[in-house]
Amino acid sequence: MRSIRQDTPVSIRRLARASQEASSTLGTWVGQARAEPRAPRRRPVADDPNLRLRVRALCEEPRNRTFGYRRIWALLRREGFGVNRKSVGRIMREEGLCRARVRRREARPRRVERMSPERPNQAWQIDMTSFQLSNMTPLYLVVATDCCTRQIVGWTLERRCRAGEWTSAVRMALEARRLTDKEKCKNLVLRSDNGSQPCSKAFVEFLGKTGVRGQYTGYNAPDDNAYVERTIRTIKEEEIWPNAYDTFFEAHKAIDEYVKYYNERRIHSAIGYRTPNEEEARHITLNAA
């Protein structure tokens, strides 16, 4: 290419079009070879020995050993050094004053296996939602559902949302299903998200005493708790959002009546357009046979 351009006054753009190469690439090919390597760029600030000594002194102070380059840069600026953050970061790297980056492993996977129970009381899911009364008082609804029958097995509605409210919902479910000892609960898995209540010491200890095996969803994976998420959405769409409640007792009574309707009369497409109670009765009949 260089010889062609020397013999014929052809522009680099035309040569690039003819050879189907980029103009910048062709320009590098036909350009003059650099006689000497490029001299290193001058860094009058970063190469200042006094600045380097001061950076090292600041980094080696006992109180500053965990500081990054941004905080060291701020301290230098307070002392009157006219230097930018990138120069301070470069000096710290070259002087070996930077800590190695800590790469933490995830404690849990991003996704967990979808629950596919074959019988009731094998896999439950629990979650919480909130809504407001007409006077803007917040209420918190905790719901536990059976993934096999789609039944709402336990729930609580309170003005506060602590581990105790979650424990009450699970206790209601266990008592209603007559799961009163560890032997009966040993095959039951209760999945929840990674909130402060299900991860609390009180809730974990309660599950340990009952024999229920707790399980958490993955990170940012609401689909892992899809059964109870869909149940809560149904409660909101069919009961909470269309109505306005003036008092706590009015809201509690309405949710109680809706839960009874949900389990006894509301049909579900996912279980063959049967009600949750009918699905439970079907499984009981199959196991008896």
Side-chain angles (χ1 to χ4, degrees), residues 126 163 166-167 170 190 192 197-198 200-208:
I126 187 170
W166 287 61
T167 301
V170 179
L190 178 67
S192 65
Q197 296 89 354
S200 65
K201 180 180 178 181
F203 189 78
V204 173
E205 288 181 348
F206 170 76
L207 294 184

Side-chain angles (χ1 to χ4, degrees), residues 139-234:
L139 299 181
Y140 300 93
L141 175 64
V142 181
V143 177
T145 186
D146 190 307
C147 301
C148 179
T149 64
R150 306 301 198 274
Q151 284 176 312
I152 298 177
V153 292
W155 64 278
T156 57
L157 182 68
E158 296 293 342
R159 295 182 178 89
R160 301 178 67 179
C161 185
R162 302 161 296 182
E165 282 69 41
W166 287 61
T167 301
S168 298
V170 179
R171 184 180 291 110
M172 175 193 291
L174 294 176
E175 292 176 355
R177 296 301 179 273
R178 296 183 177 86
L179 304 176
T180 54
D181 55 54
K182 288 188 175 182
E183 182 63 26
K184 295 179 181 179
C185 296
K186 65 179 182 179
N187 296 323
L188 175 59
V189 178
L190 178 67
R191 180 180 292 182
S192 65
D193 58 17
N194 304 290
S196 58
Q197 296 89 354
C199 292
S200 65
K201 180 180 178 181
F203 189 78
V204 173
E205 288 181 348
F206 170 76
L207 294 184
K209 292 178 181 179
T210 59
V212 178
R213 183 162 61 90
Q215 187 181 84
Y216 295 104
T217 63
Y219 292 107
N220 300 322
D223 291 348
D224 292 346
N225 232 15
Y227 293 102
V228 69
E229 294 279 2
R230 187 62 181 89
T231 301
I232 289 177
R233 174 185 163 185
T234 301

Side-chain angles (χ1 to χ4, degrees), residues 231-252:
T231 301
I232 289 177
R233 174 185 163 185
T234 301
I235 296 174
K236 284 186 170 182
E237 289 179 340
E238 298 183 2
E239 173 57 37
I240 296 175
W241 290 340
N243 301 296
Y245 311 112
D246 296 327
T247 64
F248 168 79
F249 299 101
E250 181 183 351
H252 192 280

Side-chain angles (χ1 to χ4, degrees), residues 4-261:
I4 293 175
R5 192 156 185 265
Q6 290 176 353
D7 298 338
T8 309
V10 182
S11 65
I12 293 179
R13 189 178 299 275
R14 294 184 63 183
L15 283 175
R17 191 181 300 114
S19 60
Q20 297 181 353
E21 292 287 347
S23 301
S24 57
T25 303
L26 200 62
T28 304
W29 290 351
V30 303
Q32 296 293 330
R34 195 177 294 275
E36 297 180 356
R38 181 180 297 176
R41 190 177 66 176
R42 295 181 64 251
R43 301 181 302 181
V45 176
D47 292 335
D48 184 359
N50 295 327
L51 176 62
R52 287 181 173 264
L53 289 175
R54 187 54 188 154
V55 169
R56 176 171 287 279
L58 286 174
C59 292
E60 291 179 350
E61 288 186 13
R63 294 287 186 181
N64 301 349
R65 290 180 179 177
T66 60
F67 285 4
Y69 74 92
R70 293 180 179 87
R71 199 175 294 271
I72 298 298
W73 165 78
L75 294 175
L76 291 170
R77 298 282 290 187
R78 291 168 65 91
E79 295 180 4
F81 285 91
V83 60
N84 60 32
R85 289 184 298 177
K86 291 183 179 180
S87 297
V88 176
R90 183 185 302 113
I91 292 173
M92 292 178 64
R93 287 193 298 272
E94 293 176 354
E95 295 292 328
L97 301 173
C98 292
R99 295 170 59 91
R101 180 175 297 181
V102 179
R103 299 188 180 274
R104 296 181 175 86
R105 293 183 178 181
E106 296 177 352
R108 291 181 291 274
R110 289 193 176 274
R111 298 299 300 270
V112 294
E113 186 179 359
R114 178 183 175 88
M115 282 184 159
S116 300
E118 299 178 353
R119 61 184 183 276
N121 302 328
Q122 182 181 6
W124 291 356
Q125 293 182 357
I126 187 170
D127 203 358
M128 176 207 73
T129 189
S130 64
F131 61 95
Q132 295 176 334
L133 299 177
S134 57
N135 60 0
M136 306 303 292
T137 300
L139 299 181
Y140 300 93
L141 175 64
V142 181
V143 177
T145 186
D146 190 307
C147 301
C148 179
T149 64
R150 306 301 198 274
Q151 284 176 312
I152 298 177
V153 292
W155 64 278
T156 57
L157 182 68
E158 296 293 342
R159 295 182 178 89
R160 301 178 67 179
C161 185
R162 302 161 296 182
E165 282 69 41
W166 287 61
T167 301
S168 298
V170 179
R171 184 180 291 110
M172 175 193 291
L174 294 176
E175 292 176 355
R177 296 301 179 273
R178 296 183 177 86
L179 304 176
T180 54
D181 55 54
K182 288 188 175 182
E183 182 63 26
K184 295 179 181 179
C185 296
K186 65 179 182 179
N187 296 323
L188 175 59
V189 178
L190 178 67
R191 180 180 292 182
S192 65
D193 58 17
N194 304 290
S196 58
Q197 296 89 354
C199 292
S200 65
K201 180 180 178 181
F203 189 78
V204 173
E205 288 181 348
F206 170 76
L207 294 184
K209 292 178 181 179
T210 59
V212 178
R213 183 162 61 90
Q215 187 181 84
Y216 295 104
T217 63
Y219 292 107
N220 300 322
D223 291 348
D224 292 346
N225 232 15
Y227 293 102
V228 69
E229 294 279 2
R230 187 62 181 89
T231 301
I232 289 177
R233 174 185 163 185
T234 301
I235 296 174
K236 284 186 170 182
E237 289 179 340
E238 298 183 2
E239 173 57 37
I240 296 175
W241 290 340
N243 301 296
Y245 311 112
D246 296 327
T247 64
F248 168 79
F249 299 101
E250 181 183 351
H252 192 280
K253 181 180 178 181
I255 297 298
D256 183 51
E257 292 177 353
Y258 181 81
V259 169
K260 293 178 181 176
Y261 158 77

